[in-house]
Amino acid sequence: MQALTSEELTADIPRRTSARTLDDRASLLGAAVGSVALVWVLYERVFSLSGAVGFVVCWYLAFVTLYALVSGVSNPGPIVVDRVWAAVVTGGATLVGLALGATIVFIFVKGWPALHHLNFYTHDMAGVRPTSPLTQGGVLHAVVGTLIQIAIAVAIALPLGVATAVYMTEVGGRLTDAVRTVVEAMTALPDVLAGLFVYTVLIIGFHWERDGFAVSLALAVTMTPVIARSAEVVLKLVSSSLREASLALGASHWQTVKGVVLPTARAGLVTSLILGIARIAGETAPLLIVSGASTFFNKNPFHNPMNSLPLFIFSSVRSGEPAYITRGYGAAALLVALVLVLFVAARFLARDRQVAR
Amino acid sequence: MPVAIAPNPEADLDVDEPRAIDEGLVGHDRVFHASARTVGLVVLLLILCIGGFLGYQGFPTLQRYGLSFFTETRWLPERDIVGLAAVLVGTVEVALIALAIGFPLAFLTALFISEYAPARLRTTLVSLVDLMAAVPSIIYGLLGFAFLQPHLIYIARWLSEYASWIPIFRVDTDPHAAAWAQSKFTASAFIAGIAVSLMVIPLACAIMRAVFSEAPLGEREAAAALGATRWGVIRSVVLPFGRRGVIGGTMLALGRALGETIAVLLIISPAFEIKFRVLTVGTMTTSALIAGRFGEATPSQLSALLAAGFVLFLMTLSVNTVAAVFVNRSRTGAGTDV
């Protein structure tokens, strides 16, 4: 602790608060360069270890230590602590970002051998052997199956979810809190249980066929709480002065909800719908339980099994045939692309809403 | 409106009697309220039904095996030996590994986005986290299986070599052997846990970030004005304010990790034994058991699987409900007043 002289105490020179000082930059750069050099010498030369992961981990630890030491030379304790935490937080976030980037790049790189054949998009797997080359057969049946199943699930889950949200925000009642808590808890319900539920009720209970519609029901069970929860957040954002204006003009409650609240929140509701679709697009476990997989094109959800992308991926990567596994990765890339497209659409619509306000 | 000057007893009576403002609900509003309430109730009932049906269908199993259903480790329905002990231990192990890796990363990422990232990047980063949550779990399963596993076995070997004094990291193999037994380290709870952690990070991170960014600006500025560094503001304002969000987000992540199916099924090799050595090959989780054994199940085996599903349902629902209570309370601001 260094005592301040009276001049320093009284001097009325404002401290620069936000801008980075030379000291900030120099110690960051110095610690980064120094730690790379130090770790390279120790890791590669002195201990002659190998492995990129080990190198990066050692470098990061050395960097944080050096950064703390360098900062400690000319700064008081709190600033050293601040800098170390900034380095740790940034490092953690970078690691998560790298994981996301690696996931997407990995899937597209592995799927590319299948993706650049046109027949991958236009054919199904009927009569194609698992060992067949990638120039034969495709995943059209799985794509169509996925789209049909998602469409039916949306047709069921969207009205239910939005109505639940309307109940929680607009109507209210004694059960609101119970519904909200349970809906929140249900958004993380294991997907495999939705499949089990539909299987026990419909297929054991009512002797239904293991068809596309049963899958859609299982997906709708998963999707409804997701939509209900995000739609509730969106409806809460609708300014209450709009509601009151409508009511004051003599509109009934239903007219207010239908004519004012829902149209105002439309863009946000679309976003919540797309988030719901993104949640179910890759669900595999309920499909594995409820539905069988077909190799052929089937666009009738009420008869015969339908295939879908997640199921196709699962069965192909477990098949052990290199060509078939590659098809699985191709299908995985298509699935990621589908989710990405939905996601960009959701962000675009959400942004539109903010501009319109 | 013309004002009546002449005192008129009848008019006075009219003025003093207020019009009934609340005329009750008109016809279609009554229908609207009733149907909205019905839908809310249906959704609530649906959830209770899931538990109810699983419990009802699994009841014969619970009745038949009694308490040994929870103490028996083996799962051999063809020899009439069915027990969940090993499976439950595996479920909790994988979930805890996922949390041990996912929690710090989610926490740091949430802090980075709400406190450190430049303001103009913040929206993009938030949607990237949402995107990470939207990537299907089978994709993370493939990543863990084909991309992470070949790298992670080296980390597992390193841990077993230098940290084997911690019992859970022990592996029965010689790490110094010239050709080390790679297959001993694959398909383990450790690797499955890391794949699951990728799934729970965005979930926990989104909730933590939302709560952190709700920390009151006035108190942040007060802390900064008192000379706090950025970390000082975080420690004295953001974290105390966001504590509930951190707990709630972590619990939700735990609920998701307990129920994660397909990624685990892709990675692990099934092993029905209670073991705490997480780095060695083989484990089993409840949801992977259900998904993996469902295809060839006979009716009695099905009942056993449904009973397992019921146990999983109770576990995740209780974890998730506690989480939801925490998150909701912090969202409404209750309990966060100083």
Side-chain angles (χ1 to χ4, degrees):
Chain A
M1 188 76 83
Q2 125 194 41
L4 296 170
T5 64
S6 60
E7 272 166 51
E8 274 173 312
L9 275 172
T10 49
D12 204 9
I13 303 162
R15 182 170 62 93
R16 289 176 63 175
T17 48
S18 65
R20 286 195 159 193
T21 59
L22 179 66
D23 177 62
D24 286 341
R25 270 182 231 150
S27 34
L28 183 65
L29 190 72
V33 174
S35 54
V36 171
L38 180 68
V39 170
W40 184 76
V41 168
L42 288 181
Y43 192 82
E44 303 271 336
R45 297 285 138 174
V46 178
F47 296 110
S48 60
L49 300 166
S50 62
V53 177
F55 184 86
V56 172
V57 170
C58 292
W59 166 75
Y60 186 67
L61 292 177
F63 165 70
V64 173
T65 317
L66 267 187
Y67 194 36
L69 288 175
V70 168
S71 302
V73 171
S74 58
N75 291 292
I79 291 185
V80 177
V81 174
D82 181 49
R83 285 187 183 171
V84 168
W85 273 106
V88 171
V89 167
T90 314
T94 312
L95 185 59
V96 173
L98 282 179
L100 174 64
T103 310
I104 291 171
V105 170
F106 164 77
I107 289 297
F108 278 96
V109 167
K110 288 280 268 189
W112 178 245
L115 285 175
H116 73 270
H117 294 293
L118 189 64
N119 59 297
F120 188 69
Y121 307 96
T122 54
H123 287 250
D124 60 20
M125 289 297 284
V128 180
R129 279 175 287 112
T131 48
S132 301
L134 292 168
T135 46
Q136 290 174 24
V139 293
L140 183 67
H141 60 309
V143 174
V144 170
T146 291
L147 293 179
I148 291 175
Q149 286 167 2
I150 290 178
I152 299 176
V154 166
I156 299 165
L158 183 65
L160 272 183
V162 173
T164 312
V166 166
Y167 170 69
M168 289 190 284
T169 54
E170 306 294 323
V171 179
R174 270 170 300 171
L175 281 175
T176 319
D177 282 337
V179 172
R180 182 175 296 124
T181 307
V182 171
V183 160
E184 190 115 354
M186 273 283 286
T187 53
L189 182 89
D191 44 7
V192 71
L193 291 183
L196 267 188
F197 171 64
V198 169
Y199 187 87
T200 44
V201 174
L202 291 183
I203 293 166
I204 297 181
F206 294 99
H207 304 288
W208 273 29
E209 210 177 337
R210 300 177 72 165
D211 54 16
F213 188 66
V215 171
S216 303
L217 285 180
L219 294 179
V221 168
T222 318
M223 192 183 187
T224 307
V226 178
I227 294 188
R229 183 171 160 222
S230 46
E232 189 207 356
V233 175
V234 170
L235 291 183
K236 268 187 183 163
L237 288 177
V238 174
S239 138
S240 53
S241 59
L242 281 177
R243 287 193 191 101
E244 285 158 15
S246 163
L247 290 171
L249 284 170
S252 70
H253 197 180
W254 164 238
Q255 285 166 332
T256 306
V257 169
K258 191 186 66 166
V260 176
V261 176
L262 292 181
T264 311
R266 189 171 50 209
L269 290 177
V270 172
T271 313
S272 70
L273 168 68
I274 289 174
L275 289 179
I277 295 178
R279 172 84 160 75
I280 60 160
E283 290 287 22
T284 317
L287 277 62
L288 205 59
I289 286 176
V290 173
S291 161
S294 66
T295 55
F296 50 86
F297 193 87
N298 174 18
K299 61 180 196 297
N300 180 2
F302 297 101
H303 186 62
N304 281 342
M306 267 173 136
N307 210 333
S308 59
L309 279 174
L311 213 52
F312 182 83
I313 299 167
F314 186 74
S315 52
S316 57
V317 295
R318 291 200 126 194
S319 66
E321 286 292 338
Y324 205 40
I325 291 177
T326 306
R327 281 181 214 275
Y329 281 106
L334 273 187
L335 187 62
V336 171
L338 178 74
V339 171
L340 273 175
V341 166
L342 284 173
F343 213 79
V344 172
R347 288 298 130 190
F348 187 73
L349 289 165
R351 201 191 53 191
D352 222 2
R353 176 186 54 154
Q354 279 155 7
V355 171
R357 276 246 175 113
Chain B
M1 205 182 196
V3 183
I5 296 169
N8 184 345
E10 277 177 34
D12 275 353
L13 208 66
D14 277 355
V15 168
D16 278 350
E17 200 162 294
R19 179 172 64 90
I21 294 172
D22 183 15
E23 291 172 348
L25 296 170
V26 293
H28 60 250
D29 263 3
R30 231 170 266 171
V31 176
F32 164 55
H33 278 220
S35 44
R37 205 168 290 135
T38 314
V39 171
L41 214 69
V42 163
V43 170
L44 195 64
L45 280 181
L46 185 74
I47 293 152
L48 298 180
C49 269
I50 295 181
F53 269 96
L54 291 177
Y56 173 73
Q57 298 278 349
F59 188 69
T61 304
L62 292 173
Q63 205 174 27
R64 182 180 160 88
Y65 298 100
L67 205 61
S68 76
F69 189 63
F70 296 99
T71 53
E72 172 62 52
T73 58
R74 290 168 296 171
W75 186 274
L76 300 165
E78 58 275 13
R79 278 174 49 193
D80 202 23
I81 302 170
V82 162
L84 273 186
V87 179
L88 288 179
V89 168
T91 309
V92 173
E93 253 176 34
V94 169
L96 288 183
I97 292 166
L99 268 197
I101 292 153
F103 169 75
L105 288 178
F107 179 74
L108 293 176
T109 310
L111 270 186
F112 179 78
I113 294 175
S114 85
E115 307 300 321
Y116 287 91
R120 68 201 138 80
L121 273 184
R122 213 162 278 164
T123 341
T124 317
L125 291 175
V126 170
S127 33
L128 277 180
V129 169
D130 287 345
L131 173 66
M132 195 173 170
V135 171
S137 61
I138 191 167
I139 303 293
Y140 289 121
L142 288 180
L143 184 83
F145 174 72
F147 180 72
L148 293 179
Q149 180 156 289
H151 298 286
L152 287 176
I153 54 173
Y154 287 94
I155 295 177
R157 181 178 69 155
W158 188 86
L159 280 174
S160 76
E161 195 173 343
Y162 294 103
S164 60
W165 47 273
I166 304 172
I168 56 168
F169 291 146
R170 217 165 278 161
V171 177
D172 295 326
T173 176
D174 177 19
H176 301 288
W180 59 291
Q182 297 203 355
S183 59
K184 276 266 185 192
F185 293 92
T186 54
S188 64
F190 172 65
I191 292 166
I194 286 182
V196 174
S197 80
L198 285 176
M199 260 161 273
V200 301
I201 285 171
L203 190 75
C205 177
I207 290 166
M208 291 183 196
R209 185 207 56 82
V211 178
F212 289 159
S213 59
E214 277 171 15
L217 195 61
E219 286 172 33
R220 280 170 197 261
E221 283 174 352
L226 287 170
T229 56
R230 202 194 304 232
W231 173 249
V233 174
I234 293 173
R235 219 193 54 185
S236 57
V237 178
V238 177
L239 292 187
F241 186 86
R243 201 184 305 131
R244 279 179 183 282
V246 173
I247 298 173
T250 311
M251 296 282 285
L252 267 188
L254 178 65
R256 171 68 68 84
L258 285 172
E260 181 42 49
T261 313
I262 215 73
V264 177
L265 186 62
L266 271 177
I267 291 171
I268 60 169
S269 71
F272 292 93
E273 50 184 312
I274 296 183
K275 63 172 179 190
F276 298 99
R277 299 179 178 184
V278 295
L279 296 180
T280 40
V281 58
T283 185
M284 200 67 208
T285 72
T286 318
S287 47
L289 172 78
I290 297 169
R293 293 296 167 96
F294 201 81
E296 65 264 25
T298 60
S300 66
Q301 296 177 16
L302 196 61
S303 171
L305 289 176
L306 289 167
F310 183 60
V311 173
L312 179 64
F313 176 81
L314 291 184
M315 275 165 77
T316 51
L317 196 71
S318 48
V319 169
N320 290 345
T321 311
V322 173
V325 169
F326 269 108
V327 173
N328 278 343
R329 221 178 268 172
S330 79
R331 193 179 287 164
T332 54
T336 43
D337 297 328
V338 180

